[in-house]
Short mmCIF file of all heavy atoms in Angstrom, two decimals:
data_model
loop_
_atom_site.label_atom_id
_atom_site.label_comp_id
_atom_site.label_asym_id
_atom_site.label_seq_id
_atom_site.Cartn_x
_atom_site.Cartn_y
_atom_site.Cartn_z
N ARG A 173 18.06 15.82 7.19
CA ARG A 173 16.84 16.62 7.36
C ARG A 173 17.18 18.10 7.54
O ARG A 173 16.44 18.96 7.10
CB ARG A 173 16.03 16.10 8.55
CG ARG A 173 15.48 14.68 8.28
CD ARG A 173 14.58 14.18 9.38
NE ARG A 173 13.25 14.75 9.26
CZ ARG A 173 12.73 15.62 10.11
NH1 ARG A 173 13.43 16.02 11.16
NH2 ARG A 173 11.52 16.09 9.92
N LEU A 178 14.14 20.46 6.44
CA LEU A 178 13.05 19.86 7.21
C LEU A 178 13.19 20.07 8.70
O LEU A 178 12.26 19.85 9.47
CB LEU A 178 12.98 18.35 6.93
CG LEU A 178 12.38 17.98 5.59
CD1 LEU A 178 12.61 16.51 5.30
CD2 LEU A 178 10.90 18.29 5.57
N GLN A 198 13.06 28.42 0.61
CA GLN A 198 12.35 28.26 -0.67
C GLN A 198 13.33 28.08 -1.83
O GLN A 198 13.13 27.23 -2.69
CB GLN A 198 11.45 29.46 -0.95
CG GLN A 198 10.18 29.50 -0.13
CD GLN A 198 9.30 28.28 -0.34
OE1 GLN A 198 9.50 27.25 0.32
NE2 GLN A 198 8.35 28.37 -1.23
N ARG A 201 14.74 24.65 -1.66
CA ARG A 201 13.78 23.61 -2.06
C ARG A 201 13.61 23.50 -3.56
O ARG A 201 13.33 22.43 -4.09
CB ARG A 201 12.42 23.88 -1.41
CG ARG A 201 12.43 23.62 0.08
CD ARG A 201 11.11 23.95 0.72
NE ARG A 201 11.23 23.83 2.17
CZ ARG A 201 10.72 24.69 3.04
NH1 ARG A 201 10.01 25.72 2.62
NH2 ARG A 201 10.89 24.51 4.32
N TYR A 206 14.86 15.04 -2.79
CA TYR A 206 15.07 14.34 -1.53
C TYR A 206 14.29 13.04 -1.53
O TYR A 206 13.09 13.02 -1.80
CB TYR A 206 14.62 15.24 -0.37
CG TYR A 206 14.52 14.59 0.99
CD1 TYR A 206 15.63 13.98 1.58
CD2 TYR A 206 13.33 14.62 1.71
CE1 TYR A 206 15.55 13.41 2.84
CE2 TYR A 206 13.23 14.05 2.98
CZ TYR A 206 14.35 13.45 3.54
OH TYR A 206 14.25 12.90 4.79
N SER A 208 13.61 10.23 1.23
CA SER A 208 13.86 9.95 2.64
C SER A 208 14.08 8.46 2.85
O SER A 208 13.87 7.64 1.95
CB SER A 208 12.68 10.41 3.48
OG SER A 208 11.55 9.62 3.17
N ALA A 210 12.27 6.52 4.44
CA ALA A 210 11.00 5.81 4.25
C ALA A 210 10.58 5.77 2.78
O ALA A 210 9.69 5.02 2.42
CB ALA A 210 9.91 6.48 5.08
N GLY A 212 8.84 7.82 0.84
CA GLY A 212 7.93 8.92 0.56
C GLY A 212 6.92 8.65 -0.54
O GLY A 212 6.22 9.56 -0.99
N ASP A 214 3.41 7.49 -1.79
CA ASP A 214 2.08 7.36 -1.19
C ASP A 214 1.47 6.03 -1.64
O ASP A 214 1.14 5.85 -2.82
CB ASP A 214 1.21 8.53 -1.65
CG ASP A 214 -0.18 8.50 -1.01
OD1 ASP A 214 -0.49 7.50 -0.32
OD2 ASP A 214 -0.93 9.46 -1.20
N SER A 215 1.33 5.10 -0.70
CA SER A 215 0.87 3.76 -1.08
C SER A 215 -0.64 3.72 -1.31
O SER A 215 -1.17 2.71 -1.75
CB SER A 215 1.27 2.75 -0.01
OG SER A 215 0.81 3.17 1.25
N GLY A 216 -1.33 4.82 -1.05
CA GLY A 216 -2.77 4.85 -1.31
C GLY A 216 -3.10 5.26 -2.74
O GLY A 216 -4.27 5.39 -3.10
N MET A 217 -2.07 5.51 -3.55
CA MET A 217 -2.30 5.98 -4.91
C MET A 217 -1.43 5.19 -5.88
O MET A 217 -0.52 4.48 -5.47
CB MET A 217 -1.93 7.46 -5.02
CG MET A 217 -2.94 8.36 -4.40
SD MET A 217 -4.50 8.38 -5.31
CE MET A 217 -4.56 10.08 -5.78
N ASN A 222 1.33 9.58 -8.01
CA ASN A 222 2.41 10.09 -7.17
C ASN A 222 3.33 11.01 -7.97
O ASN A 222 3.67 12.11 -7.54
CB ASN A 222 3.25 8.92 -6.64
CG ASN A 222 2.77 8.41 -5.29
OD1 ASN A 222 3.06 9.02 -4.26
ND2 ASN A 222 2.05 7.32 -5.29
N LEU A 225 1.55 14.31 -9.10
CA LEU A 225 1.42 15.29 -8.01
C LEU A 225 2.76 16.00 -7.78
O LEU A 225 2.83 17.22 -7.67
CB LEU A 225 0.99 14.60 -6.71
CG LEU A 225 0.94 15.54 -5.51
CD1 LEU A 225 -0.23 16.51 -5.62
CD2 LEU A 225 0.85 14.79 -4.19
N GLN A 226 3.81 15.20 -7.75
CA GLN A 226 5.14 15.77 -7.48
C GLN A 226 5.50 16.81 -8.55
O GLN A 226 5.97 17.90 -8.24
CB GLN A 226 6.17 14.63 -7.44
CG GLN A 226 7.51 15.01 -6.88
CD GLN A 226 7.48 15.32 -5.39
OE1 GLN A 226 6.50 15.08 -4.70
NE2 GLN A 226 8.55 15.92 -4.91
N ARG A 228 3.43 18.51 -10.55
CA ARG A 228 2.55 19.67 -10.48
C ARG A 228 2.95 20.58 -9.33
O ARG A 228 2.92 21.80 -9.46
CB ARG A 228 1.09 19.23 -10.33
CG ARG A 228 0.59 18.36 -11.48
CD ARG A 228 0.22 19.16 -12.71
NE ARG A 228 -1.01 19.90 -12.52
CZ ARG A 228 -1.20 21.15 -12.95
NH1 ARG A 228 -0.24 21.77 -13.60
NH2 ARG A 228 -2.34 21.75 -12.75
N LEU A 229 3.34 19.96 -8.20
CA LEU A 229 3.73 20.79 -7.05
C LEU A 229 5.06 21.49 -7.30
O LEU A 229 5.38 22.49 -6.67
CB LEU A 229 3.81 19.95 -5.78
CG LEU A 229 2.48 19.42 -5.25
CD1 LEU A 229 2.69 18.63 -3.97
CD2 LEU A 229 1.50 20.55 -5.00
N GLN A 230 5.86 20.95 -8.22
CA GLN A 230 7.11 21.62 -8.56
C GLN A 230 6.85 22.69 -9.61
O GLN A 230 7.79 23.26 -10.18
CB GLN A 230 8.15 20.62 -9.07
CG GLN A 230 8.66 19.65 -8.01
CD GLN A 230 9.54 20.31 -6.97
OE1 GLN A 230 9.85 21.50 -7.05
NE2 GLN A 230 9.94 19.55 -5.96
N MET A 232 5.14 22.44 -12.63
CA MET A 232 5.04 22.11 -14.05
C MET A 232 3.60 22.20 -14.54
O MET A 232 2.67 21.92 -13.79
CB MET A 232 5.52 20.68 -14.28
CG MET A 232 7.00 20.53 -14.11
SD MET A 232 7.48 18.88 -14.63
CE MET A 232 9.08 18.82 -13.88
N MET A 273 10.57 10.21 -8.49
CA MET A 273 9.80 11.32 -7.92
C MET A 273 10.71 12.44 -7.45
O MET A 273 10.40 13.62 -7.60
CB MET A 273 8.92 10.81 -6.77
CG MET A 273 7.71 10.06 -7.28
SD MET A 273 6.95 9.00 -6.04
CE MET A 273 6.46 10.20 -4.84
N ARG B 267 -3.53 27.77 -6.72
CA ARG B 267 -3.22 26.66 -7.61
C ARG B 267 -2.74 25.46 -6.80
O ARG B 267 -3.23 24.33 -6.98
CB ARG B 267 -2.13 27.11 -8.58
CG ARG B 267 -1.60 25.99 -9.47
CD ARG B 267 -0.44 26.48 -10.34
NE ARG B 267 0.09 25.39 -11.14
CZ ARG B 267 1.04 24.57 -10.71
NH1 ARG B 267 1.55 24.71 -9.50
NH2 ARG B 267 1.47 23.59 -11.48
N ILE B 271 -4.50 21.78 -6.32
CA ILE B 271 -3.82 20.53 -6.73
C ILE B 271 -3.87 19.51 -5.59
O ILE B 271 -4.23 18.34 -5.79
CB ILE B 271 -2.35 20.80 -7.13
CG1 ILE B 271 -2.31 21.59 -8.43
CG2 ILE B 271 -1.59 19.49 -7.29
CD1 ILE B 271 -0.92 22.09 -8.79
N TYR B 275 -5.98 15.95 -5.49
CA TYR B 275 -5.26 14.71 -5.24
C TYR B 275 -5.89 13.97 -4.06
O TYR B 275 -6.13 12.76 -4.13
CB TYR B 275 -3.80 15.04 -4.94
CG TYR B 275 -2.93 13.85 -4.61
CD1 TYR B 275 -2.32 13.11 -5.61
CD2 TYR B 275 -2.70 13.48 -3.29
CE1 TYR B 275 -1.51 12.02 -5.30
CE2 TYR B 275 -1.89 12.41 -2.97
CZ TYR B 275 -1.30 11.69 -3.98
OH TYR B 275 -0.50 10.62 -3.67
N LYS B 278 -9.22 12.40 -4.91
CA LYS B 278 -9.05 11.20 -5.73
C LYS B 278 -8.62 10.03 -4.85
O LYS B 278 -9.08 8.91 -5.01
CB LYS B 278 -7.96 11.49 -6.78
CG LYS B 278 -8.16 10.74 -8.08
CD LYS B 278 -7.40 11.42 -9.21
CE LYS B 278 -6.17 10.64 -9.61
NZ LYS B 278 -5.27 11.37 -10.50
N ARG B 279 -7.74 10.35 -3.88
CA ARG B 279 -7.25 9.33 -2.98
C ARG B 279 -8.41 8.75 -2.16
O ARG B 279 -8.48 7.55 -1.90
CB ARG B 279 -6.23 9.99 -2.05
CG ARG B 279 -5.43 9.05 -1.23
CD ARG B 279 -4.41 9.87 -0.44
NE ARG B 279 -3.34 9.06 0.05
CZ ARG B 279 -3.41 8.34 1.17
NH1 ARG B 279 -4.49 8.36 1.89
NH2 ARG B 279 -2.38 7.61 1.55
N ARG B 282 -10.65 6.58 -4.37
CA ARG B 282 -9.98 5.33 -4.74
C ARG B 282 -9.99 4.30 -3.62
O ARG B 282 -9.73 3.12 -3.85
CB ARG B 282 -8.50 5.62 -5.06
CG ARG B 282 -8.19 5.81 -6.50
CD ARG B 282 -6.71 6.07 -6.62
NE ARG B 282 -5.93 4.92 -6.18
CZ ARG B 282 -5.23 4.15 -7.00
NH1 ARG B 282 -5.20 4.42 -8.27
NH2 ARG B 282 -4.54 3.14 -6.54
N ARG B 346 4.56 8.17 8.37
CA ARG B 346 5.44 7.00 8.46
C ARG B 346 6.02 6.66 7.09
O ARG B 346 7.19 6.30 6.97
CB ARG B 346 4.71 5.81 9.07
CG ARG B 346 5.63 4.74 9.56
CD ARG B 346 4.97 3.69 10.44
NE ARG B 346 3.53 3.69 10.43
CZ ARG B 346 2.79 3.18 9.46
NH1 ARG B 346 3.37 2.62 8.42
NH2 ARG B 346 1.48 3.21 9.52
N ASP B 347 5.21 6.79 6.05
CA ASP B 347 5.70 6.49 4.70
C ASP B 347 6.59 7.60 4.14
O ASP B 347 7.07 7.50 3.02
CB ASP B 347 4.52 6.32 3.74
CG ASP B 347 3.75 5.04 4.02
OD1 ASP B 347 4.30 4.19 4.74
OD2 ASP B 347 2.62 4.89 3.53
N GLY B 348 6.75 8.69 4.88
CA GLY B 348 7.60 9.78 4.41
C GLY B 348 6.92 10.71 3.42
O GLY B 348 7.57 11.55 2.81
N VAL B 349 5.60 10.54 3.23
CA VAL B 349 4.90 11.38 2.26
C VAL B 349 4.86 12.84 2.73
O VAL B 349 5.07 13.77 1.95
CB VAL B 349 3.46 10.86 2.03
CG1 VAL B 349 2.71 11.76 1.07
CG2 VAL B 349 3.50 9.44 1.51
N GLU B 351 6.94 14.42 4.66
CA GLU B 351 8.27 15.02 4.48
C GLU B 351 8.53 15.33 3.01
O GLU B 351 9.06 16.38 2.68
CB GLU B 351 9.36 14.05 4.93
CG GLU B 351 9.63 14.10 6.40
CD GLU B 351 10.98 13.51 6.73
OE1 GLU B 351 11.59 12.84 5.87
OE2 GLU B 351 11.43 13.71 7.87
N ARG B 352 8.15 14.41 2.15
CA ARG B 352 8.42 14.63 0.73
C ARG B 352 7.72 15.89 0.24
O ARG B 352 8.31 16.70 -0.49
CB ARG B 352 7.93 13.43 -0.09
CG ARG B 352 7.83 13.73 -1.58
CD ARG B 352 7.59 12.52 -2.42
NE ARG B 352 6.35 11.83 -2.12
CZ ARG B 352 5.18 12.12 -2.68
NH1 ARG B 352 5.08 13.11 -3.54
NH2 ARG B 352 4.11 11.44 -2.36
N LEU B 353 6.47 16.07 0.64
CA LEU B 353 5.74 17.26 0.21
C LEU B 353 6.35 18.51 0.83
O LEU B 353 6.39 19.58 0.21
CB LEU B 353 4.26 17.15 0.59
CG LEU B 353 3.54 15.98 -0.09
CD1 LEU B 353 2.10 15.90 0.38
CD2 LEU B 353 3.59 16.11 -1.62
N ALA B 354 6.86 18.37 2.05
CA ALA B 354 7.42 19.54 2.74
C ALA B 354 8.73 20.00 2.10
O ALA B 354 9.14 21.14 2.31
CB ALA B 354 7.63 19.22 4.22
N VAL B 355 9.40 19.15 1.34
CA VAL B 355 10.64 19.55 0.69
C VAL B 355 10.39 20.23 -0.66
O VAL B 355 11.28 20.77 -1.28
CB VAL B 355 11.60 18.34 0.55
CG1 VAL B 355 12.88 18.71 -0.16
CG2 VAL B 355 11.96 17.81 1.92
N THR B 356 9.13 20.24 -1.11
CA THR B 356 8.82 21.00 -2.33
C THR B 356 8.62 22.48 -1.93
O THR B 356 8.38 22.78 -0.77
CB THR B 356 7.52 20.50 -2.99
OG1 THR B 356 6.44 20.74 -2.09
CG2 THR B 356 7.60 19.02 -3.31
N PRO B 357 8.71 23.39 -2.91
CA PRO B 357 8.55 24.81 -2.56
C PRO B 357 7.09 25.23 -2.31
O PRO B 357 6.81 26.42 -2.22
CB PRO B 357 9.13 25.54 -3.79
CG PRO B 357 9.29 24.55 -4.86
CD PRO B 357 9.15 23.19 -4.30
N VAL B 358 6.19 24.26 -2.19
CA VAL B 358 4.77 24.57 -2.00
C VAL B 358 4.53 25.22 -0.62
O VAL B 358 5.15 24.82 0.36
CB VAL B 358 3.95 23.27 -2.10
CG1 VAL B 358 2.50 23.50 -1.76
CG2 VAL B 358 4.09 22.69 -3.49
N ARG B 360 3.17 26.00 2.92
CA ARG B 360 2.70 25.08 3.95
C ARG B 360 1.19 25.20 4.16
O ARG B 360 0.50 24.24 4.45
CB ARG B 360 3.43 25.37 5.28
CG ARG B 360 4.68 24.54 5.47
CD ARG B 360 5.92 25.15 4.85
NE ARG B 360 6.28 24.61 3.55
CZ ARG B 360 7.14 23.64 3.36
NH1 ARG B 360 7.70 23.05 4.37
NH2 ARG B 360 7.44 23.24 2.15
N PRO B 513 8.67 22.64 9.29
CA PRO B 513 9.10 24.04 9.29
C PRO B 513 9.06 24.65 7.89
O PRO B 513 9.06 23.94 6.91
CB PRO B 513 10.53 23.97 9.80
CG PRO B 513 10.99 22.58 9.59
CD PRO B 513 9.77 21.72 9.57
#
Side-chain angles (χ1 to χ4, degrees):
Chain A
R173 294 185 79 249
L178 284 169
Q198 285 301 86
R201 288 177 187 138
Y206 169 58
S208 67
D214 183 354
S215 54
M217 285 292 242
N222 269 281
L225 175 71
Q226 193 68 11
R228 300 281 288 140
L229 291 181
Q230 292 290 356
M232 289 188 196
M273 284 161 62
Chain B
R267 173 184 177 273
I271 291 171
Y275 178 86
K278 210 159 107 191
R279 191 176 198 277
R282 264 181 64 110
R346 197 167 14 78
D347 290 345
V349 178
E351 276 199 347
R352 165 170 61 88
L353 297 178
V355 178
T356 64
V358 174
R360 267 87 261 265

